[in-house]
């Protein structure tokens, strides 16, 4: 039984990831920023016992060490970190360069960098140091994005921070391999989360489904299944990889 810290676990991909680990017999700490009711629902619905929720704004300096410490206190140890929390593309965070004021541009960039990259990097540091100090093997899985490769013209900060998260994971995979710690990333395409339900039901739904030759978008459970595998000992030789999970909607070499 492992201790697993999942950030951004109140709903969507994070909830599905937390559920996958709990169903596999692990204890899970679910971090959330502001959706307390959703996080508590996730906690109630997790299979097994010994799970916890942790409230934190990962964009604040010094928070990562507290989150990992609270997870250790709640679970006994943290063996797996899943960096899922992110400031996502929404109407409020849209910032195409030709249409955006400098003030809004800077606001969105700083917030996305603080949460999507620096918060994740700090959590990697705190988790890795916890594992190294214990002399224990472990796993870190970062949730990146297809947008890191195909570009995000309306959300360039999102694409850039996800690309940086992929690169961070590869650097840490090399640095942490001697300690038995694997680091991998997944790059999902469009996923049918609660946040995206209105878009999928609206006029853009057909176009989004048509991006994949399967004629649909991904599900949170599909992403969670791969994350769960990458955190397993069986996937140790995949350390350093970035797994595309986009239904062949964007191919790269």
């Amino acid at each position: 039984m492992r201790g697993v810290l999942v950030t951004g676990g109140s709903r969507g991909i994070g909830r599905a990831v937390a559920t996958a680990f709990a169903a596999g017999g692990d204890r899970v700490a679910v971090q959330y920023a502001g959706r307390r009711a959703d996080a508590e629902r996730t906690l109630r619905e997790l299979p097994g016992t010994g799970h916890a929720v942790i409230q934190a704004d990962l964009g604040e300096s010094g928070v990562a060490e507290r989150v990992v410490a609270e997870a250790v206190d709640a679970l006994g140890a943290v063996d797996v970190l899943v960096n899922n929390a992110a400031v996502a593309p929404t109407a409020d965070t849209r910032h195409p360069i030709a249409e955006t004021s400098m003030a809004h541009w800077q606001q969105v960039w700083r917030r996305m960098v603080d949460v999507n990259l620096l918060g994740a990097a700090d959590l990697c540091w705190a988790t890795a140091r916890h594992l190294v100090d214990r002399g224990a093997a472990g796993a870190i899985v970062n949730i990146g994005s297809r947008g890191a490769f195909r570009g995000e013209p309306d959300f360039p900060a999102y694409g850039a921070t996800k690309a940086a998260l992929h690169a961070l994971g590869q650097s840490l995979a090399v640095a942490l391999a001697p300690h038995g710690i694997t680091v991998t990333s997944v790059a999902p395409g469009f996923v049918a989360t609660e946040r995206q339900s209105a878009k999928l039901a609206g006029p853009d739904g057909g176009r989004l489904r048509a991006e994949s030759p399967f004629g649909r978008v991904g599900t949170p459970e599909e992403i969670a299944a791969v994350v769960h595998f990458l955190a397993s000992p069986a996937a140790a030789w995949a350390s350093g990889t970035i797994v595309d999970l986009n239904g062949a909607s964007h191919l790269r070499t």
Side-chain angles (χ1 to χ4, degrees):
M1 181 182 293
R2 300 172 298 178
V4 181
L5 171 58
V6 179
T7 67
S10 60
R11 59 179 184 163
I13 292 173
R15 176 180 286 167
V17 167
T19 300
F21 280 101
D26 296 317
R27 295 185 304 271
V28 181
V30 174
Q31 177 274 335
Y32 72 98
R35 295 182 171 273
R36 182 176 182 85
D38 289 336
E40 290 178 344
R41 176 186 165 188
T42 298
L43 181 65
R44 288 195 306 271
E45 295 180 355
L46 289 179
T49 60
H51 311 302
V53 293
I54 299 171
Q55 192 282 326
D57 181 345
L58 297 179
E60 295 180 357
S61 178
V63 164
E65 289 178 274
R66 173 178 69 81
V67 169
V68 172
E70 289 188 16
V72 170
D73 288 343
L75 307 177
V78 171
D79 304 292
V80 177
L81 166 67
V82 180
N83 269 318
N84 172 69
V87 178
T90 65
D92 290 337
T93 60
R94 184 176 178 271
H95 55 289
I97 192 167
E99 305 171 23
T100 303
S101 69
M102 176 61 81
H104 184 60
W105 176 267
Q106 291 180 329
Q107 178 187 34
V108 174
W109 267 93
R110 279 151 182 74
R111 181 61 178 164
M112 286 192 171
V113 168
D114 284 345
V115 177
N116 301 7
L117 179 59
L118 298 182
D122 289 351
L123 285 164
C124 287
W125 182 92
T127 300
R129 291 299 296 266
H130 166 68
L131 289 166
V132 170
D133 290 347
R134 286 169 51 209
I140 297 171
V141 184
N142 295 319
I143 310 298
S145 173
R146 172 185 66 178
F149 303 110
R150 72 168 193 169
E152 291 284 356
D154 286 344
F155 304 93
Y158 182 79
T161 54
K162 290 300 188 178
L165 187 62
H166 294 163
L168 170 66
Q170 292 186 315
S171 295
L172 295 183
V174 177
L176 294 174
H179 300 282
I181 302 168
T182 65
V183 187
T184 53
S185 301
V186 298
F190 199 94
V191 178
T193 62
E194 298 94 330
R195 184 173 60 82
Q196 303 291 6
S197 58
K199 184 176 289 188
L200 285 169
D204 288 335
R207 175 186 60 79
L208 291 167
R209 286 184 284 271
E211 289 180 350
S212 167
F214 289 98
R216 66 176 181 86
V217 299
T219 69
E221 291 74 22
E222 288 173 318
I223 310 305
V226 177
V227 171
H228 186 256
F229 170 71
L230 289 174
S232 71
W237 212 237
S239 191
T241 197
I242 303 164
V243 180
D244 293 313
L245 299 174
N246 64 51
S249 65
H250 180 76
L251 305 177
R252 62 189 178 95
T253 57

Short mmCIF file of all heavy atoms in Angstrom, two decimals, residues 60-123:
data_model
loop_
_atom_site.label_atom_id
_atom_site.label_comp_id
_atom_site.label_asym_id
_atom_site.label_seq_id
_atom_site.Cartn_x
_atom_site.Cartn_y
_atom_site.Cartn_z
N GLU A 60 1.16 29.90 -4.31
CA GLU A 60 1.76 30.66 -3.22
C GLU A 60 3.12 30.09 -2.85
O GLU A 60 3.29 28.87 -2.78
CB GLU A 60 0.83 30.65 -2.00
CG GLU A 60 -0.49 31.35 -2.23
CD GLU A 60 -1.38 31.32 -1.00
OE1 GLU A 60 -0.97 30.71 0.01
OE2 GLU A 60 -2.48 31.89 -1.05
N SER A 61 4.05 30.94 -2.59
CA SER A 61 5.41 30.51 -2.24
C SER A 61 5.42 29.72 -0.94
O SER A 61 4.74 30.09 0.03
CB SER A 61 6.31 31.75 -2.10
OG SER A 61 7.61 31.37 -1.72
N GLY A 62 6.17 28.65 -0.91
CA GLY A 62 6.34 27.87 0.30
C GLY A 62 5.25 26.85 0.58
O GLY A 62 5.34 26.09 1.54
N VAL A 63 4.22 26.81 -0.26
CA VAL A 63 3.08 25.93 0.01
C VAL A 63 3.42 24.47 -0.23
O VAL A 63 2.93 23.58 0.46
CB VAL A 63 1.87 26.36 -0.86
CG1 VAL A 63 0.82 25.27 -0.93
CG2 VAL A 63 1.26 27.64 -0.29
N ALA A 64 4.26 24.18 -1.21
CA ALA A 64 4.52 22.80 -1.60
C ALA A 64 5.05 21.97 -0.44
O ALA A 64 4.62 20.82 -0.23
CB ALA A 64 5.50 22.76 -2.76
N GLU A 65 5.97 22.52 0.32
CA GLU A 65 6.51 21.76 1.45
C GLU A 65 5.43 21.44 2.48
O GLU A 65 5.40 20.35 3.05
CB GLU A 65 7.66 22.54 2.10
CG GLU A 65 8.90 22.60 1.23
CD GLU A 65 10.01 23.41 1.87
OE1 GLU A 65 10.00 24.66 1.69
OE2 GLU A 65 10.85 22.83 2.55
N ARG A 66 4.52 22.39 2.69
CA ARG A 66 3.43 22.13 3.64
C ARG A 66 2.51 21.04 3.12
O ARG A 66 2.08 20.16 3.87
CB ARG A 66 2.62 23.41 3.88
CG ARG A 66 1.36 23.15 4.72
CD ARG A 66 0.57 24.40 5.02
NE ARG A 66 -0.08 25.00 3.87
CZ ARG A 66 -1.23 24.57 3.35
NH1 ARG A 66 -1.84 23.48 3.84
NH2 ARG A 66 -1.78 25.19 2.33
N VAL A 67 2.19 21.08 1.82
CA VAL A 67 1.30 20.09 1.25
C VAL A 67 1.90 18.69 1.38
O VAL A 67 1.21 17.74 1.79
CB VAL A 67 1.00 20.42 -0.23
CG1 VAL A 67 0.28 19.25 -0.91
CG2 VAL A 67 0.15 21.68 -0.32
N VAL A 68 3.15 18.54 1.05
CA VAL A 68 3.78 17.23 1.16
C VAL A 68 3.86 16.79 2.62
O VAL A 68 3.60 15.62 2.94
CB VAL A 68 5.18 17.24 0.51
CG1 VAL A 68 5.92 15.93 0.79
CG2 VAL A 68 5.05 17.45 -1.00
N ALA A 69 4.18 17.71 3.52
CA ALA A 69 4.23 17.36 4.95
C ALA A 69 2.87 16.92 5.46
O ALA A 69 2.77 15.93 6.23
CB ALA A 69 4.74 18.55 5.76
N GLU A 70 1.80 17.61 5.05
CA GLU A 70 0.47 17.21 5.47
C GLU A 70 0.09 15.85 4.89
O GLU A 70 -0.57 15.03 5.55
CB GLU A 70 -0.56 18.27 5.08
CG GLU A 70 -0.45 19.55 5.89
CD GLU A 70 -1.60 20.50 5.62
OE1 GLU A 70 -2.62 20.08 5.04
OE2 GLU A 70 -1.47 21.69 5.98
N ALA A 71 0.50 15.60 3.65
CA ALA A 71 0.22 14.31 3.04
C ALA A 71 0.95 13.20 3.77
O ALA A 71 0.40 12.11 4.01
CB ALA A 71 0.60 14.33 1.56
N VAL A 72 2.18 13.45 4.14
CA VAL A 72 2.96 12.46 4.90
C VAL A 72 2.30 12.18 6.25
O VAL A 72 2.17 11.02 6.68
CB VAL A 72 4.41 12.93 5.09
CG1 VAL A 72 5.16 12.03 6.07
CG2 VAL A 72 5.14 12.96 3.75
N ASP A 73 1.85 13.24 6.92
CA ASP A 73 1.18 13.06 8.21
C ASP A 73 -0.10 12.24 8.06
O ASP A 73 -0.41 11.39 8.90
CB ASP A 73 0.84 14.42 8.82
CG ASP A 73 2.07 15.15 9.35
OD1 ASP A 73 3.11 14.49 9.54
OD2 ASP A 73 1.98 16.38 9.56
N ALA A 74 -0.84 12.49 6.99
CA ALA A 74 -2.13 11.82 6.80
C ALA A 74 -1.97 10.38 6.33
O ALA A 74 -2.76 9.50 6.73
CB ALA A 74 -2.98 12.60 5.80
N LEU A 75 -0.98 10.14 5.48
CA LEU A 75 -0.85 8.83 4.83
C LEU A 75 0.25 7.95 5.42
O LEU A 75 0.31 6.76 5.14
CB LEU A 75 -0.57 9.02 3.33
CG LEU A 75 -1.54 9.91 2.55
CD1 LEU A 75 -1.08 10.04 1.10
CD2 LEU A 75 -2.97 9.38 2.62
N GLY A 76 1.14 8.58 6.19
CA GLY A 76 2.29 7.85 6.72
C GLY A 76 3.53 8.04 5.87
O GLY A 76 4.64 8.02 6.38
N ALA A 77 3.36 8.23 4.57
CA ALA A 77 4.45 8.48 3.64
C ALA A 77 3.84 8.88 2.31
O ALA A 77 2.66 8.63 2.06
CB ALA A 77 5.32 7.24 3.46
N VAL A 78 4.65 9.51 1.49
CA VAL A 78 4.25 9.77 0.10
C VAL A 78 5.21 9.02 -0.80
O VAL A 78 6.42 9.26 -0.77
CB VAL A 78 4.27 11.28 -0.23
CG1 VAL A 78 4.07 11.50 -1.73
CG2 VAL A 78 3.19 12.01 0.56
N ASP A 79 4.67 8.10 -1.56
CA ASP A 79 5.47 7.30 -2.49
C ASP A 79 5.27 7.72 -3.94
O ASP A 79 6.13 7.46 -4.78
CB ASP A 79 5.10 5.82 -2.35
CG ASP A 79 5.25 5.33 -0.92
OD1 ASP A 79 6.41 5.26 -0.46
OD2 ASP A 79 4.22 5.06 -0.27
N VAL A 80 4.14 8.36 -4.21
CA VAL A 80 3.80 8.77 -5.57
C VAL A 80 3.24 10.19 -5.54
O VAL A 80 2.39 10.51 -4.70
CB VAL A 80 2.75 7.84 -6.20
CG1 VAL A 80 2.35 8.32 -7.60
CG2 VAL A 80 3.25 6.40 -6.27
N LEU A 81 3.72 11.03 -6.44
CA LEU A 81 3.17 12.37 -6.65
C LEU A 81 2.60 12.44 -8.05
O LEU A 81 3.28 12.08 -9.02
CB LEU A 81 4.26 13.43 -6.49
CG LEU A 81 3.92 14.84 -7.01
CD1 LEU A 81 2.82 15.48 -6.18
CD2 LEU A 81 5.17 15.72 -7.03
N VAL A 82 1.36 12.91 -8.17
CA VAL A 82 0.77 13.19 -9.47
C VAL A 82 0.50 14.68 -9.54
O VAL A 82 -0.38 15.20 -8.85
CB VAL A 82 -0.53 12.39 -9.71
CG1 VAL A 82 -1.10 12.73 -11.09
CG2 VAL A 82 -0.27 10.89 -9.59
N ASN A 83 1.27 15.38 -10.36
CA ASN A 83 1.12 16.83 -10.54
C ASN A 83 0.04 17.09 -11.58
O ASN A 83 0.31 17.15 -12.79
CB ASN A 83 2.44 17.44 -10.99
CG ASN A 83 3.31 17.90 -9.85
OD1 ASN A 83 2.82 18.50 -8.88
ND2 ASN A 83 4.60 17.62 -9.94
N ASN A 84 -1.19 17.24 -11.12
CA ASN A 84 -2.32 17.47 -12.02
C ASN A 84 -2.86 18.90 -11.94
O ASN A 84 -3.45 19.38 -12.90
CB ASN A 84 -3.44 16.47 -11.70
CG ASN A 84 -4.71 16.77 -12.45
OD1 ASN A 84 -4.78 16.61 -13.67
ND2 ASN A 84 -5.73 17.22 -11.73
N ALA A 85 -2.69 19.58 -10.83
CA ALA A 85 -3.27 20.92 -10.66
C ALA A 85 -2.71 21.88 -11.70
O ALA A 85 -1.52 21.87 -12.01
CB ALA A 85 -2.97 21.43 -9.26
N ALA A 86 -3.59 22.73 -12.22
CA ALA A 86 -3.16 23.72 -13.21
C ALA A 86 -4.21 24.81 -13.34
O ALA A 86 -5.39 24.56 -13.13
CB ALA A 86 -2.92 23.07 -14.57
N VAL A 87 -3.75 25.98 -13.72
CA VAL A 87 -4.67 27.03 -14.16
C VAL A 87 -4.99 26.70 -15.61
O VAL A 87 -4.11 26.71 -16.48
CB VAL A 87 -4.02 28.42 -14.05
CG1 VAL A 87 -4.98 29.49 -14.58
CG2 VAL A 87 -3.64 28.72 -12.61
N ALA A 88 -6.24 26.40 -15.89
CA ALA A 88 -6.63 25.85 -17.18
C ALA A 88 -7.09 26.93 -18.16
O ALA A 88 -7.43 28.05 -17.76
CB ALA A 88 -7.76 24.84 -16.98
N PRO A 89 -7.13 26.59 -19.42
CA PRO A 89 -7.68 27.52 -20.42
C PRO A 89 -9.18 27.72 -20.21
O PRO A 89 -9.96 26.77 -20.25
CB PRO A 89 -7.41 26.81 -21.75
CG PRO A 89 -6.32 25.83 -21.47
CD PRO A 89 -6.54 25.39 -20.06
N THR A 90 -9.58 28.93 -19.96
CA THR A 90 -10.99 29.29 -19.81
C THR A 90 -11.20 30.65 -20.47
O THR A 90 -10.24 31.30 -20.92
CB THR A 90 -11.38 29.40 -18.33
OG1 THR A 90 -10.66 30.50 -17.73
CG2 THR A 90 -11.09 28.11 -17.57
N ALA A 91 -12.43 31.10 -20.49
CA ALA A 91 -12.71 32.43 -21.04
C ALA A 91 -11.95 33.50 -20.27
O ALA A 91 -11.48 34.49 -20.86
CB ALA A 91 -14.21 32.70 -21.00
N ASP A 92 -11.79 33.31 -18.97
CA ASP A 92 -11.10 34.32 -18.15
C ASP A 92 -9.59 34.32 -18.36
O ASP A 92 -8.93 35.34 -18.11
CB ASP A 92 -11.40 34.08 -16.67
CG ASP A 92 -12.84 34.39 -16.31
OD1 ASP A 92 -13.48 35.17 -17.05
OD2 ASP A 92 -13.33 33.85 -15.30
N THR A 93 -9.02 33.17 -18.76
CA THR A 93 -7.57 33.10 -18.93
C THR A 93 -7.14 33.17 -20.39
O THR A 93 -5.96 33.07 -20.70
CB THR A 93 -7.00 31.81 -18.30
OG1 THR A 93 -7.59 30.67 -18.94
CG2 THR A 93 -7.27 31.77 -16.81
N ARG A 94 -8.09 33.38 -21.30
CA ARG A 94 -7.75 33.52 -22.71
C ARG A 94 -6.90 34.77 -22.91
O ARG A 94 -7.21 35.84 -22.38
CB ARG A 94 -9.04 33.61 -23.54
CG ARG A 94 -8.85 33.66 -25.03
CD ARG A 94 -10.20 33.64 -25.75
NE ARG A 94 -10.03 33.74 -27.19
CZ ARG A 94 -9.98 34.88 -27.87
NH1 ARG A 94 -10.10 36.04 -27.21
NH2 ARG A 94 -9.82 34.89 -29.18
N HIS A 95 -5.79 34.66 -23.68
CA HIS A 95 -4.91 35.81 -23.83
C HIS A 95 -4.16 35.78 -25.17
O HIS A 95 -2.93 35.79 -25.20
CB HIS A 95 -3.91 35.89 -22.67
CG HIS A 95 -3.10 34.64 -22.45
ND1 HIS A 95 -3.62 33.49 -21.95
CD2 HIS A 95 -1.78 34.38 -22.67
CE1 HIS A 95 -2.69 32.56 -21.88
NE2 HIS A 95 -1.57 33.07 -22.32
N PRO A 96 -4.90 35.76 -26.30
CA PRO A 96 -4.22 35.86 -27.60
C PRO A 96 -3.46 37.18 -27.69
O PRO A 96 -3.99 38.24 -27.32
CB PRO A 96 -5.37 35.78 -28.61
CG PRO A 96 -6.57 36.24 -27.85
CD PRO A 96 -6.36 35.77 -26.44
N ILE A 97 -2.26 37.13 -28.18
CA ILE A 97 -1.37 38.29 -28.08
C ILE A 97 -1.90 39.51 -28.82
O ILE A 97 -1.71 40.65 -28.37
CB ILE A 97 0.06 37.91 -28.56
CG1 ILE A 97 1.04 39.01 -28.17
CG2 ILE A 97 0.07 37.61 -30.05
CD1 ILE A 97 2.49 38.59 -28.32
N ALA A 98 -2.60 39.32 -29.93
CA ALA A 98 -3.07 40.46 -30.73
C ALA A 98 -4.29 41.14 -30.12
O ALA A 98 -4.67 42.22 -30.56
CB ALA A 98 -3.39 40.01 -32.15
N GLU A 99 -4.89 40.51 -29.11
CA GLU A 99 -6.14 41.05 -28.55
C GLU A 99 -6.06 41.35 -27.06
O GLU A 99 -7.05 41.77 -26.47
CB GLU A 99 -7.27 40.03 -28.77
CG GLU A 99 -7.48 39.60 -30.20
CD GLU A 99 -8.46 38.45 -30.31
OE1 GLU A 99 -9.28 38.26 -29.38
OE2 GLU A 99 -8.41 37.71 -31.31
N THR A 100 -4.90 41.16 -26.46
CA THR A 100 -4.79 41.19 -25.01
C THR A 100 -3.96 42.37 -24.53
O THR A 100 -2.89 42.66 -25.10
CB THR A 100 -4.15 39.88 -24.49
OG1 THR A 100 -4.94 38.78 -24.95
CG2 THR A 100 -4.07 39.85 -22.98
N SER A 101 -4.44 43.05 -23.50
CA SER A 101 -3.67 44.15 -22.92
C SER A 101 -2.45 43.59 -22.19
O SER A 101 -2.42 42.43 -21.79
CB SER A 101 -4.53 44.93 -21.92
OG SER A 101 -4.81 44.13 -20.78
N MET A 102 -1.45 44.45 -22.02
CA MET A 102 -0.26 44.03 -21.28
C MET A 102 -0.61 43.61 -19.86
O MET A 102 -0.07 42.62 -19.33
CB MET A 102 0.77 45.16 -21.25
CG MET A 102 2.01 44.83 -20.42
SD MET A 102 2.94 43.40 -21.00
CE MET A 102 3.88 44.15 -22.34
N ALA A 103 -1.53 44.31 -19.22
CA ALA A 103 -1.89 43.99 -17.84
C ALA A 103 -2.48 42.59 -17.73
O ALA A 103 -2.11 41.80 -16.85
CB ALA A 103 -2.88 45.03 -17.30
N HIS A 104 -3.40 42.26 -18.65
CA HIS A 104 -4.00 40.92 -18.61
C HIS A 104 -2.99 39.87 -19.01
O HIS A 104 -2.95 38.77 -18.42
CB HIS A 104 -5.22 40.87 -19.53
CG HIS A 104 -5.96 39.57 -19.47
ND1 HIS A 104 -6.52 39.08 -18.30
CD2 HIS A 104 -6.22 38.63 -20.43
CE1 HIS A 104 -7.10 37.91 -18.54
NE2 HIS A 104 -6.92 37.61 -19.83
N TRP A 105 -2.19 40.17 -20.02
CA TRP A 105 -1.13 39.26 -20.46
C TRP A 105 -0.23 38.88 -19.28
O TRP A 105 0.02 37.70 -19.03
CB TRP A 105 -0.33 39.95 -21.57
CG TRP A 105 0.87 39.23 -22.10
CD1 TRP A 105 2.16 39.36 -21.68
CD2 TRP A 105 0.90 38.28 -23.18
NE1 TRP A 105 2.99 38.57 -22.42
CE2 TRP A 105 2.25 37.90 -23.35
CE3 TRP A 105 -0.07 37.74 -24.01
CZ2 TRP A 105 2.65 36.98 -24.33
CZ3 TRP A 105 0.32 36.83 -24.98
CH2 TRP A 105 1.67 36.45 -25.14
N GLN A 106 0.25 39.87 -18.57
CA GLN A 106 1.15 39.60 -17.44
C GLN A 106 0.44 38.85 -16.32
O GLN A 106 1.02 37.94 -15.70
CB GLN A 106 1.73 40.92 -16.92
CG GLN A 106 2.70 41.58 -17.87
CD GLN A 106 3.26 42.88 -17.32
OE1 GLN A 106 2.59 43.59 -16.56
NE2 GLN A 106 4.49 43.19 -17.69
N GLN A 107 -0.81 39.22 -16.06
CA GLN A 107 -1.56 38.56 -15.00
C GLN A 107 -1.70 37.06 -15.27
O GLN A 107 -1.46 36.23 -14.39
CB GLN A 107 -2.94 39.20 -14.86
CG GLN A 107 -3.82 38.54 -13.81
CD GLN A 107 -5.24 39.09 -13.84
OE1 GLN A 107 -5.76 39.43 -14.89
NE2 GLN A 107 -5.86 39.18 -12.68
N VAL A 108 -2.10 36.72 -16.49
CA VAL A 108 -2.30 35.30 -16.83
C VAL A 108 -0.99 34.56 -16.84
O VAL A 108 -0.87 33.45 -16.29
CB VAL A 108 -3.03 35.16 -18.18
CG1 VAL A 108 -3.12 33.70 -18.59
CG2 VAL A 108 -4.42 35.76 -18.09
N TRP A 109 0.03 35.13 -17.45
CA TRP A 109 1.33 34.46 -17.51
C TRP A 109 1.86 34.17 -16.12
O TRP A 109 2.32 33.04 -15.83
CB TRP A 109 2.34 35.32 -18.29
CG TRP A 109 2.40 34.99 -19.74
CD1 TRP A 109 1.70 35.57 -20.75
CD2 TRP A 109 3.20 33.97 -20.35
NE1 TRP A 109 2.02 34.98 -21.95
CE2 TRP A 109 2.93 34.00 -21.74
CE3 TRP A 109 4.11 33.04 -19.86
CZ2 TRP A 109 3.55 33.13 -22.64
CZ3 TRP A 109 4.74 32.17 -20.75
CH2 TRP A 109 4.45 32.22 -22.12
N ARG A 110 1.80 35.15 -15.23
CA ARG A 110 2.36 34.95 -13.90
C ARG A 110 1.59 33.90 -13.11
O ARG A 110 2.17 33.08 -12.41
CB ARG A 110 2.45 36.27 -13.16
CG ARG A 110 3.68 37.07 -13.58
CD ARG A 110 3.49 38.57 -13.46
NE ARG A 110 4.68 39.29 -13.93
CZ ARG A 110 5.03 39.41 -15.22
NH1 ARG A 110 4.30 38.85 -16.16
NH2 ARG A 110 6.12 40.08 -15.56
N ARG A 111 0.28 33.92 -13.24
CA ARG A 111 -0.52 32.94 -12.51
C ARG A 111 -0.27 31.52 -13.03
O ARG A 111 -0.12 30.58 -12.24
CB ARG A 111 -2.00 33.30 -12.62
CG ARG A 111 -2.94 32.36 -11.88
CD ARG A 111 -2.67 32.32 -10.39
NE ARG A 111 -3.62 31.46 -9.69
CZ ARG A 111 -3.45 31.01 -8.45
NH1 ARG A 111 -2.38 31.35 -7.76
NH2 ARG A 111 -4.36 30.24 -7.90
N MET A 112 -0.22 31.38 -14.36
CA MET A 112 0.02 30.06 -14.92
C MET A 112 1.42 29.55 -14.61
O MET A 112 1.60 28.37 -14.29
CB MET A 112 -0.24 30.06 -16.42
CG MET A 112 -1.72 30.11 -16.77
SD MET A 112 -2.04 29.77 -18.52
CE MET A 112 -3.84 29.64 -18.49
N VAL A 113 2.40 30.41 -14.68
CA VAL A 113 3.76 29.99 -14.33
C VAL A 113 3.83 29.60 -12.86
O VAL A 113 4.43 28.57 -12.50
CB VAL A 113 4.77 31.11 -14.66
CG1 VAL A 113 6.13 30.80 -14.05
CG2 VAL A 113 4.91 31.28 -16.17
N ASP A 114 3.21 30.39 -12.00
CA ASP A 114 3.26 30.11 -10.56
C ASP A 114 2.65 28.75 -10.22
O ASP A 114 3.19 28.01 -9.39
CB ASP A 114 2.53 31.20 -9.78
CG ASP A 114 3.34 32.48 -9.66
OD1 ASP A 114 4.55 32.44 -9.94
OD2 ASP A 114 2.75 33.52 -9.29
N VAL A 115 1.51 28.43 -10.83
CA VAL A 115 0.81 27.18 -10.49
C VAL A 115 1.28 26.02 -11.36
O VAL A 115 1.70 24.97 -10.85
CB VAL A 115 -0.71 27.36 -10.62
CG1 VAL A 115 -1.42 26.03 -10.34
CG2 VAL A 115 -1.21 28.43 -9.65
N ASN A 116 1.21 26.20 -12.68
CA ASN A 116 1.44 25.09 -13.60
C ASN A 116 2.88 24.61 -13.60
O ASN A 116 3.14 23.43 -13.84
CB ASN A 116 1.05 25.49 -15.03
CG ASN A 116 -0.39 25.90 -15.16
OD1 ASN A 116 -1.12 26.02 -14.17
ND2 ASN A 116 -0.83 26.13 -16.38
N LEU A 117 3.82 25.53 -13.38
CA LEU A 117 5.23 25.17 -13.44
C LEU A 117 5.92 25.22 -12.09
O LEU A 117 6.43 24.22 -11.60
CB LEU A 117 5.96 26.05 -14.45
CG LEU A 117 7.46 25.79 -14.58
CD1 LEU A 117 7.73 24.35 -15.00
CD2 LEU A 117 8.09 26.78 -15.57
N LEU A 118 5.94 26.41 -11.46
CA LEU A 118 6.70 26.54 -10.22
C LEU A 118 6.08 25.73 -9.08
O LEU A 118 6.81 25.11 -8.30
CB LEU A 118 6.81 28.01 -9.83
CG LEU A 118 7.56 28.91 -10.83
CD1 LEU A 118 7.64 30.33 -10.31
CD2 LEU A 118 8.95 28.37 -11.13
N GLY A 119 4.74 25.73 -8.99
CA GLY A 119 4.11 24.91 -7.95
C GLY A 119 4.42 23.45 -8.14
O GLY A 119 4.73 22.72 -7.19
N ALA A 120 4.33 22.98 -9.39
CA ALA A 120 4.65 21.58 -9.68
C ALA A 120 6.11 21.28 -9.40
O ALA A 120 6.45 20.21 -8.85
CB ALA A 120 4.30 21.26 -11.13
N ALA A 121 7.00 22.19 -9.79
CA ALA A 121 8.43 21.98 -9.54
C ALA A 121 8.72 21.89 -8.05
O ALA A 121 9.50 21.03 -7.60
CB ALA A 121 9.23 23.12 -10.17
N ASP A 122 8.10 22.75 -7.26
CA ASP A 122 8.32 22.71 -5.81
C ASP A 122 7.80 21.42 -5.20
O ASP A 122 8.41 20.85 -4.28
CB ASP A 122 7.64 23.91 -5.14
CG ASP A 122 8.34 25.23 -5.44
OD1 ASP A 122 9.45 25.20 -6.02
OD2 ASP A 122 7.77 26.29 -5.12
N LEU A 123 6.66 20.93 -5.70
CA LEU A 123 6.13 19.65 -5.21
C LEU A 123 7.06 18.50 -5.59
O LEU A 123 7.24 17.56 -4.80
CB LEU A 123 4.74 19.42 -5.77
CG LEU A 123 3.63 20.24 -5.12
CD1 LEU A 123 2.38 20.23 -5.98
CD2 LEU A 123 3.31 19.71 -3.72
#
